[in-house]
Amino acid sequence: MNCIVYARVSTDKQAEKDLSIPAQLEAMRSYARQHGWTIAREFIEPGASAKTTGRPALQGLLSLVRDSKSKIDVLLVHKVDRLARNVYDHATIKVLLKQHDIRLASVVENLDDSVPGQLVENIMASIAQFYSANLSEETRKGMRQKVLKGGWPHRPPRGYVTVKDRGGHDSHIQVHPREGPLVLRAFELYSTGWYSMTALTNRLAKDGLISSSGGPIPKSHMYRMLTNRFYSGRVRWKDLDVQGLHPVLVPQALFDRVRSVIQKRYRHPGAKARVAGFPLRGFAICARCRGRMTGEWRKRWGYYRCSRQSYRRELCDARLCNVKRAHADLERICQQVRLHRSTAAAIQRAAELEIARSAASRTQRMSDIQTGRAALVTAEMRLTDAFTDGDVSPEIYKSKTADLRTKRIQLEEDSTRLSIDPAAVGAKVKETLDVATALWDLYEAFDDAKRAELLRSVFSSIVLGHEGIVGFSLKAPFDKLASMDKDRLQQAGTNEKGELVHAILDAA
Ligand SMILES: [Zn+2]
């Protein structure tokens, strides 16, 4: 009889009691000798876990099994759990063996194709699966417990170091004697607002905070560092956010100062206009892949280029877009969506009337809202009583509560709207209309940063292709204003006018 053997050790620490590969081979060779089998091939899987069947030696073994010319009679393992750690894999392999008339044998377990033999085999496979699943579950539980107590289950960030306690079983996190002060320095320098990310990484590299390649640490690492709340003492892990046991490296006040500097700078990523002349940079998206567009100068020509494409990353093959073409399109669109002055004036008058009307009825509407709230509470109580008494079915209860919730949300919205100062609303409407009437004039008068801000407040998206702007969408209320002209406004009934004004008010 021809026999093949398969040996594997798992990398799990818990598997230390397993036999080593040579010991497994030794046991299998002697077992084969006793049964008078010839070993045709030995498959050895060093150091792989059995969780997946994607193991090279096992794959080789299975392809040999599938080969009808191979003339194999027995597959011998030391223990069944060496082969697969879940019932499904085990069954798949088992079926394959059966198709090719190959017996599975184990040195340790007594397997044969009799009913009791199969039962033992299945039980063994189930136990192996339980063990494997339980192990990862236990690990997860252990990590969670650690975090709940304020510990950190991973390697700490830069500036900290893990120190083993005396017994060697436990460890705690300390400030790294050399790097800790450097990290603190990074926070202090950045909080002044005088340093760009690049200047900061360069400056700290001189002091000794360097990457593994010896240069300044990447800007993205620095950004992550400056926003990592671990330094101010918090531990955030999955859904948990607790006070950590580790020493605070960056005082909360300093951390907050740095955060406000970052928020100021990164509110509009790409709008910093380091590269002048590209107001659409970081805002417009690529027509091909929806990635952000960036800008660059090539000789004397400016181009918008998809940020997913560069000499190092070739994730998109969209062609460049000449800035002149893009900006000409932008002007055309701004002129096209611009609101005519007389239309704006008519809207302004309608808005003022609406605001005055709403101010006049304010007291009445406030008391209506109060009454409405009280009525809702009563209705909810009645409904709950009817439900608990069994007079209302769960389906009806559910749909009626949903109705009541919708009504309540409406009431709260009305109430919020009423609480806004009418003068402030009037000013906001005027500002919105000014932008809508003078979009391109404003744009031309602004510098890059303000242009970018203006575009972001009017457009929700601008899509750039090689041929220029190939699509755009407007933010509320500019979307409604753009479709409005004087004639339409005159024809519009009070309702439509009211809706338009409300669209502006909502946006305000
Ligand atoms: Zn692209």
Side-chain angles (χ1 to χ4, degrees), residues 286-293 306-309 315-318:
C286 167
R288 217 174 174 89
C289 75
R290 318 310 269 185
R292 294 278 166 204
M293 297 297 277
C306 177
S307 61
R308 304 188 68 217
Q309 168 193 85
L315 298 167
C316 176
D317 61 351

Side-chain angles (χ1 to χ4, degrees), residues 189-467:
L189 292 175
Y190 198 75
S191 73
T192 61
W194 302 332
Y195 284 83
S196 69
M197 246 358 137
T198 314
L200 186 64
T201 54
N202 287 337
R203 167 71 201 267
L204 282 154
K206 278 188 197 129
D207 294 344
L209 194 68
I210 49 172
S211 71
S212 52
S213 63
I217 61 170
K219 278 193 290 178
S220 56
H221 288 198
M222 183 60 87
Y223 180 86
R224 242 177 286 147
M225 205 166 94
L226 294 175
T227 50
N228 190 347
R229 292 177 56 197
F230 193 86
Y231 292 113
S232 65
R234 297 300 287 184
V235 168
R236 296 173 105 176
W237 187 80
K238 300 198 186 238
D239 57 321
L240 302 176
D241 182 354
V242 299
Q243 190 59 43
L245 291 173
H246 61 278
V248 171
L249 183 55
V250 178
Q252 191 63 46
L254 176 59
F255 188 86
D256 291 343
R257 264 206 314 281
V258 165
R259 189 165 52 184
S260 75
V261 172
I262 287 176
Q263 274 168 354
K264 253 179 232 148
R265 283 214 184 141
Y266 287 84
R267 195 173 30 167
H268 299 316
K272 289 163 294 171
R274 266 264 172 73
V275 189
F278 301 100
L280 288 170
R281 182 171 177 261
F283 176 57
I285 54 179
C286 167
R288 217 174 174 89
C289 75
R290 318 310 269 185
R292 294 278 166 204
M293 297 297 277
T294 185
E296 70 183 24
W297 290 99
R298 294 200 173 178
K299 293 188 181 147
R300 282 169 44 235
W301 304 102
Y303 293 97
Y304 283 107
R305 170 176 61 73
C306 177
S307 61
R308 304 188 68 217
Q309 168 193 85
S310 66
Y311 64 96
R312 279 164 71 197
R313 295 192 299 165
E314 294 291 341
L315 298 167
C316 176
D317 61 351
R319 294 172 66 195
L320 299 177
C321 173
N322 187 311
V323 278
K324 282 193 178 158
R325 214 178 274 174
H327 295 168
D329 281 346
L330 190 60
E331 175 170 7
R332 187 177 45 74
I333 290 166
C334 285
Q335 300 285 19
Q336 178 193 317
V337 303
R338 193 178 61 154
L339 193 65
H340 200 276
R341 282 194 191 283
S342 56
T343 316
I347 294 172
Q348 179 82 46
R349 278 195 301 279
E352 273 158 13
L353 278 175
E354 177 67 23
I355 291 165
R357 200 173 60 81
S358 115
S361 62
R362 196 162 178 270
T363 326
Q364 181 57 45
R365 283 168 67 205
M366 275 301 217
S367 91
D368 285 352
I369 287 172
Q370 295 289 355
T371 320
R373 275 197 190 123
L376 273 181
V377 171
T378 317
E380 266 178 350
M381 273 161 57
R382 262 194 214 132
L383 181 62
T384 312
D385 282 348
F387 177 59
T388 43
D389 289 348
D391 298 339
V392 169
S393 73
E395 292 77 34
I396 292 180
Y397 176 70
K398 230 174 156 181
S399 83
K400 292 230 166 175
T401 0
D403 285 352
L404 291 175
R405 198 181 309 129
T406 316
K407 277 185 194 146
R408 191 180 8 217
I409 291 169
Q410 186 59 51
L411 272 182
E412 294 314 318
E413 275 173 7
D414 290 349
S415 151
T416 314
R417 200 176 279 163
L418 274 181
S419 66
I420 301 170
D421 176 23
V425 175
K428 188 70 199 172
V429 170
K430 191 167 174 350
E431 194 188 310
T432 306
L433 291 171
D434 282 347
V435 172
T437 46
L439 196 47
W440 185 251
D441 299 335
L442 283 171
Y443 181 89
E444 283 203 301
F446 284 164
D447 63 9
D448 271 7
K450 288 208 88 179
R451 279 179 177 182
E453 208 170 312
L454 177 69
L455 292 177
R456 281 172 164 82
S457 63
V458 174
F459 291 92
S460 59
S461 72
I462 292 179
V463 185
L464 271 184
H466 170 61
E467 59 276 34

